[in-house]
Amino acid sequence: MIRTLFVATATLALAACATTPAPEAPTASLTSAEEAVAPSIPIMKAMTKRLSADDFEGRAPSTATEPKVLDYIEAEFKKAGLQPGNNGQWLQEVPTVEITGSHYTPMAITGGSQPLSFAFGDQYVATSYRVTPHTRVENSPLVFVGYGINAPELGWNDYAGVDMKGKTAVILVNDPDYAMESQDGLFKGRRMTYYGRWTYKFEEAARQGAAAAIIVHDTFPAAYGWNVVNSSWTGAQYYVQKPNNAMDQTQANGWIQKPAAEAILKDAGMDLATLTAAAQKKGFKAVPLGLNVSFGFDNAIRKSTSHNVVGILPGKTRPDEYVLYSAHWDHLGRCTPDATGDDICNGAVDNATGVGAITALADASHRAGGAERSQVFIALTLEESGLLGSEYYAQNPIYPLNRTVGGVNIDALLPGGRVRDYAMTGGDKSDLNDLFRQALKEQGLVEAPEGTPEKGHYYRSDHFSLAKRGVPMFTAGRGSDWVDGGKEAGEAAEEEYTKHHYHAPSDEWSDNWNWAGLAQDLALYYRLGQMLANGDTWPNWRATDEFRAIRDKSCAAHSGGC
């Protein structure tokens, strides 16, 4: 997965540390959902093992291995009872573009008390969404726009009264109330909202007509250090191809170190801390800095095509209403070798488990005779490159988004024991939370709070591509309170996976995995999906959620929608 463990438990039983088989039988009698999925669990096991085998070479998209991976998933979808889901075809092409910057100039600031210059990599980074060989930002006026948020439902607009055409936005990271301990603020306090994500800030700057957008990096509100920004933004960047070559986007997007930003504000006769405090209050107005910025770089461009695999189980009474089940099939391919020389990042947990899970859910649904609504199962590509497979589907939906009820996204199911609790990633965002609580009650489980809500995990996996276009998606996973060992065992296991196996060659299949927790996961996902597929309601976002207006507009745009 790109960077979220929305299943908040791990296991010590990965290949590198498993020694003896663990029991799979739950300690209590099976729930009806567990009974329904029990015959399908062998499918999930077999697919997880096969997809993470060495001859699939880590499932890197757009490589010679991709056709073999796709053929295997297609065959398993077919055996699970699915029909081709893309107008009689199994595959949906996902055209992508890889852009690699080079020959970066320093970032030059003029117009203040003295000229300033900042080095690429150490002090600033930048890329372009535009498919163009050269990027040049020349003497663009700098405007401090606070947190760069335009949220009509909250009565908040950092761009009110300012024309950004030709100008460069200087933007603070996260939300205005990120420092609160609680989640009671206008922007949900400590919990990051979409408005706090860097992706939103660049998108909004483009909608405002800005020439460029620069985010001020600060470790605590960003939730990661400059080293993460530097490593993520100085190599190849991947995007979905667009007919206009993304020329509607800013010329450049980037980040700048906080000390560099402080120096720029000082050069303008201002203070970053003072402006930051002002930007945290409703009614803040953007501040022109009286400075100009110039920087540039060249772009090497490579276009390629990968594929989503799409299957459908048609609905019995309402076939034109759709429920989605998604998981990404791609992983990192060949990667940095470990101490043994192993250079294949097999991605057994991340996310062979997820593809196995949605196929098992398809099989269980087919065994049950289908549902009232159509169920669509999508194995997505290019999640690890920035959610590109789901982004392309959301931009080019096979099934109308205003006829898509909602869905379940599955990313990185970790082996381990059964738990007492599950958490919804993203907090209490939509009517899906009510269904989630109902399903937990039915299965004798309790709701756990999401861990580290300030990190914005909801916005870092494939469900987000649908959510930001209004479609409510379940993203839930095991809590850390294990039936055998309690929270101490659950938290230790999570740390073990994250530190030693995440995105590493040791994320491999083991015959010694404990499948008790995975079976529990599958049962809960089955119940959540069936609540949507056999229900007659159309879940919506909470009234003040950032995606509510998008869903309402989508539903109202066409007759018969939502």
Side-chain angles (χ1 to χ4, degrees):
M1 56 188 162
I2 185 171
R3 182 49 282 180
T4 174
L5 293 177
F6 75 80
V7 178
T9 179
T11 180
L12 299 177
L14 291 172
C17 45
T19 56
T20 58
E24 295 180 15
T27 57
S29 59
L30 296 178
T31 66
S32 59
E34 288 173 328
E35 290 176 344
V37 301
S40 304
I41 290 174
I43 293 173
M44 182 179 172
K45 287 186 177 182
M47 289 195 71
T48 301
K49 183 175 183 178
R50 181 70 191 99
L51 285 169
S52 58
D54 279 354
D55 65 308
F56 276 174
E57 299 183 78
R59 304 188 308 278
S62 303
T63 65
T65 309
E66 176 173 330
K68 183 164 64 172
V69 176
L70 299 177
D71 287 346
Y72 174 69
I73 296 172
E74 178 182 322
E76 293 301 310
F77 271 17
K78 190 180 300 183
K79 285 194 291 185
L82 298 182
Q83 300 175 19
N86 184 15
N87 299 308
Q89 304 295 319
W90 287 103
L91 302 182
Q92 179 188 39
E93 287 191 353
V94 180
T96 61
V97 59
E98 173 189 296
I99 303 177
T100 306
S102 64
H103 305 113
Y104 284 83
T105 69
M107 178 179 286
I109 307 295
T110 58
S113 58
Q114 60 180 347
L116 300 176
S117 180
F118 302 101
F120 176 77
D122 289 339
Q123 294 174 301
Y124 91 97
V125 293
T127 63
S128 180
Y129 291 172
R130 296 186 180 189
V131 183
T132 180
H134 308 288
T135 296
R136 298 290 183 267
V137 177
E138 300 284 355
N139 294 316
S140 174
L142 289 170
V143 181
F144 178 80
V145 296
Y147 289 88
I149 295 171
N150 180 16
E153 75 279 8
L154 300 177
W156 191 290
N157 186 1
D158 288 328
Y159 289 98
V162 61
D163 180 3
M164 290 301 297
K165 185 176 181 180
K167 299 171 184 174
T168 293
V170 179
I171 311 170
L172 298 171
V173 70
N174 212 310
D175 300 315
D177 53 14
Y178 74 88
M180 294 179 64
E181 291 294 333
S182 71
Q183 297 180 30
D184 299 327
L186 187 64
F187 291 91
K188 300 183 181 179
R190 181 56 59 90
R191 176 177 295 282
M192 183 184 286
T193 70
Y194 180 38
Y195 296 121
R197 288 286 291 152
W198 58 264
T199 49
Y200 166 80
K201 295 175 188 293
F202 292 149
E203 291 165 1
E204 187 60 39
R207 285 190 286 268
Q208 297 292 332
I214 304 294
I215 294 174
V216 178
H217 175 264
D218 191 355
T219 298
F220 177 69
Y224 39 76
W226 180 256
N227 63 309
V228 175
V229 176
N230 192 11
S231 64
S232 300
W233 287 74
T234 52
Q237 307 293 309
Y238 298 87
Y239 311 105
V240 169
Q241 290 184 33
K242 294 185 176 181
N244 65 351
N245 284 328
M247 298 306 286
D248 58 339
Q249 298 300 301
T250 57
Q251 292 174 248
N253 295 312
W255 295 70
I256 192 167
Q257 286 260 41
K258 184 178 180 181
E262 289 172 334
I264 291 172
L265 270 294
K266 183 178 180 180
D267 196 46
M270 302 178 193
D271 177 66
L272 179 61
T274 301
L275 285 178
T276 298
Q280 292 171 339
K281 299 176 182 177
K282 201 168 187 178
F284 167 79
K285 301 295 183 183
V287 179
L289 300 184
L291 305 175
N292 295 328
V293 63
S294 299
F295 62 96
F297 47 91
D298 298 330
N299 298 303
I301 297 166
R302 184 177 76 91
K303 295 184 177 181
S304 61
T305 300
S306 188
H307 301 81
N308 296 327
V309 188
V310 188
I312 187 171
L313 195 61
K316 294 185 290 187
T317 59
R318 283 164 283 153
D320 61 342
E321 298 176 6
Y322 306 95
V323 175
L324 301 183
Y325 301 80
S326 60
H328 72 92
W329 64 257
D330 67 298
H331 198 55
L332 305 181
R334 292 191 177 272
C335 52
T336 303
D338 63 13
T340 70
D342 184 359
D343 70 343
I344 298 176
C345 278
N346 303 79
V349 166
D350 183 12
N351 187 34
T353 57
V355 178
I358 64 168
T359 311
L361 291 174
D363 178 74
S365 298
H366 183 253
R367 289 172 185 268
E372 304 308 310
R373 289 165 160 159
S374 293
Q375 298 173 87
V376 179
F377 299 81
I378 312 178
L380 296 158
T381 187
L382 291 160
E383 192 266 0
E384 302 286 7
S385 298
L387 317 183
L388 300 190
S390 57
E391 177 66 18
Y392 185 80
Y393 179 88
Q395 290 181 14
N396 304 274
I398 298 170
Y399 304 100
L401 298 186
N402 73 321
R403 301 302 298 161
T404 301
V405 179
V408 178
N409 182 56
I410 303 178
D411 193 356
L413 302 181
L414 293 138
R418 289 168 64 89
V419 295
R420 299 183 178 91
D421 57 351
Y422 276 77
M424 275 280 275
T425 303
D428 192 17
K429 294 182 67 64
S430 75
D431 296 335
L432 296 184
N433 292 79
D434 302 326
L435 298 179
F436 175 66
R437 289 165 187 143
Q438 179 183 335
L440 292 185
K441 185 176 181 181
E442 292 173 357
Q443 299 192 31
L445 299 164
V446 298
E447 183 174 6
E450 180 189 2
T452 62
E454 69 275 9
K455 293 184 178 180
H457 284 159
Y458 188 84
Y459 311 103
R460 304 186 188 188
S461 194
D462 281 318
H463 56 270
F464 172 55
S465 299
L466 282 300
K468 71 179 181 179
R469 291 172 174 85
V471 179
M473 296 288 290
F474 277 114
T475 57
R478 269 173 279 159
S480 58
D481 188 5
W482 285 23
V483 172
D484 184 10
K487 291 186 178 181
E488 183 178 355
E491 290 170 358
E494 178 182 358
E495 183 179 9
E496 166 71 15
Y497 176 79
T498 304
K499 282 189 174 181
H500 300 294
H501 308 293
Y502 173 71
H503 280 197
S506 60
D507 184 2
E508 295 183 313
W509 165 271
S510 171
D511 290 334
N512 294 324
W513 275 3
N514 182 347
W515 277 81
L518 291 164
Q520 192 179 28
D521 290 340
L522 199 66
L524 180 62
Y525 291 130
Y526 179 78
R527 180 62 182 133
L528 295 176
Q530 291 297 303
M531 292 169 98
L532 294 177
N534 284 314
D536 57 8
T537 61
W538 288 83
N540 205 339
W541 306 91
R542 301 304 194 202
T544 58
D545 192 83
E546 59 264 48
F547 305 128
R548 176 60 181 257
I550 299 169
R551 181 64 160 179
D552 289 346
K553 183 178 180 181
S554 172
C555 292
H558 305 284
S559 60
C562 303

